[in-house]
Amino acid sequence: MVKLSIVQFTPSFGNKQHNIDQIEELLSGNQADIIVLPELCTTGYSFLTKQEALDVAEDAGGESIAFFKRLAVKRKALIVAGFAEKDGDKTYNSALAALPDGGLRVYRKTHLFFREKLCFEPGNSGFFIVDHPLLDCSVGIMVCNDWRYPESARSLALMGADVIACPSNLVSTLWGIGMPARALENKVYVAVANRCGAETRTLEDGSLQNLTFNGGSVIYDFNGTPLAQAGKDENSVLTVEITPKLTRDKSFNAFNDLFKDRRPDQYSLE
Ligand code: ACM
């Protein structure tokens, strides 16, 4: 058994230390083996320009990275959390995986959403999985809008993910249809950590951009059934016990196997 937590809260835009303090408080006493937090959870979401994102983005020495690395070692947990990453003069909408042995991996969001395209570079890390160093469990990472591209979850599942961690800042409700499908079609657990609250920014033409994030963070089992789900608008830490090895036999009857039955020679995906 592996304990898996998702964290839902309302980050305050541009207020990194406050957000780190909120996360620390929400996780006090948490004993999960894997913890998933929302996209851009230490900065907030609604950047309007590359420069705005660059001003708060972090390279390897950044405060969010240091905080999550410390927490992962202290709690012996694998922590997946979205943050704004800086590499030279480029910014990425990234998710880190901080490991209990002090290791760190960074995934850069592949499929940018809406105005993110004005502020971040398209991710170039590719999809990858991370093995929990203390447990038999492999975690794949995708970020929010990656859900709309089934190739994201499929790539992670084919690599051997038992769990897909999906830090999110979801503003529609359509993901409630797509996200469980990603679990079912790949026979993996899917952990969606969404944020709640709203952000209002004034655009260049003086109009207001108001984004409301719809919470509802959820952990799906490998048939796409919710094991735990948060409300729309409240801080929540939800924890479930999962059995990663149950995801590894991809057969669903005596004749069918999700992966062995694939027919790549019949597909046209380019
Ligand atoms: C999203 O990708 N933040 C919807």
Side-chain angles (χ1 to χ4, degrees):
M1 285 283 191
V2 168
K3 279 192 187 156
L4 168 64
S5 287
I6 48 174
V7 179
Q8 170 173 306
F9 73 109
T10 300
S12 164
F13 185 72
N15 199 346
K16 203 181 277 184
Q17 192 53 52
H18 172 77
N19 295 329
I20 288 174
D21 292 346
Q22 274 205 87
I23 293 166
E24 189 155 38
E25 194 176 321
L26 279 164
L27 285 175
S28 68
N30 181 282
Q31 295 189 333
D33 304 300
I34 300 169
I35 304 170
V36 187
L37 293 107
E39 179 180 11
L40 293 169
C41 70
T42 55
T43 56
Y45 180 76
S46 301
F47 298 105
L48 299 183
T49 63
K50 276 188 196 293
Q51 190 59 50
E52 257 192 12
L54 190 60
D55 286 346
V56 295
E58 300 180 23
D59 57 21
E63 14 348 6
S64 308
I65 296 176
F67 166 69
F68 286 119
K69 279 182 80 167
R70 255 197 327 273
L71 198 63
V73 171
K74 190 165 141 199
R75 298 289 174 79
K76 297 187 168 49
L78 191 166
I79 300 179
V80 178
F83 76 110
E85 185 198 2
K86 170 162 63 187
D87 184 2
D89 62 353
K90 292 188 165 48
T91 50
Y92 295 92
N93 181 343
S94 294
L96 59 81
L99 305 180
D101 61 5
L104 183 83
R105 298 288 308 273
V106 175
Y107 165 69
R108 294 173 169 171
K109 184 175 183 179
T110 304
H111 303 100
L112 297 176
F113 177 73
F114 197 51
R115 288 180 168 269
E116 290 169 34
K117 292 194 175 195
L118 305 178
C119 307
F120 297 105
E121 304 298 317
N124 57 4
S125 62
F127 293 96
F128 58 83
I129 62 171
V130 183
D131 294 331
H132 196 300
L134 307 173
L135 297 164
D136 180 19
C137 186
S138 296
V139 179
I141 304 170
M142 64 182 193
V143 172
C144 204
N145 189 49
D146 284 333
W147 76 264
R148 278 188 190 256
Y149 303 84
E151 296 88 344
S152 313
R154 179 67 103 203
S155 300
L156 293 169
L158 287 172
M159 287 174 206
D162 302 311
V163 179
I164 293 179
C166 188
S168 296
N169 277 191
L170 290 150
V171 291
S172 83
T173 52
L174 293 173
W175 62 272
I177 301 169
M179 213 72 91
R182 302 292 89 82
L184 169 67
E185 69 204 6
N186 292 296
K187 198 173 176 187
V188 292
Y189 294 94
V190 174
V192 183
N194 196 18
R195 60 161 288 177
C196 41
E199 287 180 0
T200 302
R201 301 291 317 273
T202 305
L203 302 180
E204 266 172 27
D205 65 1
S207 65
L208 293 182
Q209 172 184 277
N210 185 26
L211 295 179
T212 300
F213 304 92
N214 57 33
S217 297
V218 55
I219 299 172
Y220 296 104
D221 77 3
F222 46 77
N223 289 316
T225 304
L227 297 173
Q229 182 148 31
K232 205 169 147 35
D233 205 21
E234 71 246 10
N235 290 356
S236 307
V237 180
L238 301 179
T239 304
V240 302
E241 292 195 343
I242 62 168
T243 309
K245 65 174 187 296
L246 294 181
T247 67
R248 296 174 195 167
D249 172 2
K250 301 294 185 185
S251 64
F252 56 95
N253 63 41
F255 292 86
N256 291 113
D257 180 292
L258 278 174
F259 284 4
K260 289 186 189 137
D261 291 349
R262 292 177 65 246
R263 302 282 310 279
D265 60 316
Q266 298 296 307
Y267 306 152
S268 177
L269 292 173
E270 292 308 313

